[in-house]
Amino acid sequence: MIVEIVILAMIAAFLGLRLYAVLGRRPEQNEEPLRRRVEQPDPASTPRSLPPRLPEKTATAPRALPLPQDSQLDSRAEAGVRAIIGADRRFDVGQFLAGARGAYGMVLEAFWRGDKEDLSQLCDSDVYAGFAEAIDARAAAGEAITAKLIRIEEARIVDASYTAPRARITVSFVADVASVTRDASGAVVAGSLDDAIETRDVWTFSRDLTARDPDWVVDETDEG
């Protein structure tokens, strides 16, 4: 029995010395602590974990802008435009202005070349009569116009109204036009094709919203 106690005491003393050597003893001068003796992996050989990849953005259809659109119409025209939309749900401000730009160029070009037939299809009777009279006066004077529409800088709705069944929309155009007028001998009377002049016009378009014909006609012209 005594022998067993002695053996157990010796084992306990041995374990205590080992724990002291591992945990409680300071390392000698040239001796590295145990926790640093573990070989660290080489950072260059260890694959880096890539950051999580963000999901790619998916393209979304642009939202339609509600009225009023400051770049397309004046605030004073908003009520009239809304009344027109109420009478014709297919009416779209952007599409109308695109058509107005096209009509503006077509009317000017028809007038410059003296094409009364095209003018009669684009304008109402009163406006057509005014253009036709100017064409006849030009021809009587033996003058000819050569002109080109360089660009339309702005087309903006400045007024609108709806009195059933007719809708009327007034558009202000700012455009650059180059033109030259020659007399019967070919001499230049006015203008130059090398210099574009800013032109401001205010045209009113109208349409019977109950008619099958979707086209608007010019029913009034004025200088801006």
Side-chain angles (χ1 to χ4, degrees):
M1 189 69 178
I2 295 175
V3 174
E4 293 177 358
I5 292 173
V6 172
I7 293 174
L8 290 174
M10 293 176 62
I11 293 174
F14 175 76
L15 292 176
L17 290 173
R18 293 300 299 166
L19 287 174
Y20 171 75
V22 173
L23 300 178
R25 182 174 64 88
R26 292 185 178 180
E28 299 296 334
Q29 185 175 357
N30 296 322
E31 186 178 0
E32 200 178 5
L34 180 64
R35 64 176 181 273
R36 294 185 180 177
R37 293 177 186 173
V38 179
E39 183 178 358
Q40 298 294 328
D42 184 3
S45 63
T46 304
R48 290 185 175 182
S49 58
L50 296 176
R53 191 173 184 180
L54 296 176
E56 296 182 358
K57 293 182 179 179
T58 56
T60 57
R63 296 176 61 188
L65 295 176
L67 289 174
Q69 298 182 42
D70 291 339
S71 62
Q72 294 182 325
L73 74 156
D74 288 351
S75 58
R76 65 179 178 178
E78 180 182 346
V81 169
R82 289 190 183 278
I84 293 171
I85 293 174
D88 182 3
R89 294 292 181 179
R90 296 170 299 176
F91 178 79
D92 179 84
V93 172
Q95 291 180 358
F96 170 82
L97 282 175
R101 284 172 172 264
Y104 181 74
M106 292 170 64
V107 169
L108 288 181
E109 290 171 1
F111 171 69
W112 292 333
R113 67 175 179 266
D115 191 333
K116 294 181 181 180
E117 182 177 354
D118 278 0
L119 287 171
S120 67
Q121 297 177 5
L122 297 167
C123 308
D124 75 352
S125 58
D126 290 340
V127 174
Y128 166 75
F131 280 124
E133 183 179 350
I135 290 172
D136 292 342
R138 190 172 66 206
E143 295 177 346
I145 290 182
T146 303
K148 55 184 176 180
L149 177 62
I150 306 301
R151 70 180 64 83
I152 298 175
E153 297 284 357
E154 182 183 69
R156 183 180 180 85
I157 297 174
V158 295
D159 199 5
S161 63
Y162 174 65
T163 303
R166 185 160 296 277
R168 300 181 81 245
I169 300 178
T170 303
V171 180
S172 172
F173 294 98
V174 180
D176 293 333
V177 175
S179 66
V180 60
T181 302
R182 293 182 172 86
D183 61 18
S185 66
V188 175
V189 175
S192 170
L193 290 178
D194 296 328
D195 297 321
I197 298 176
E198 182 180 271
T199 303
R200 294 178 178 267
D201 290 308
V202 179
W203 288 13
T204 299
F205 298 83
S206 67
R207 176 177 175 261
D208 181 348
L209 298 186
T210 63
R212 289 188 176 183
D213 186 356
D215 293 335
W216 295 70
V217 296
V218 182
D219 78 354
E220 188 176 340
T221 61
D222 198 0
E223 293 184 358

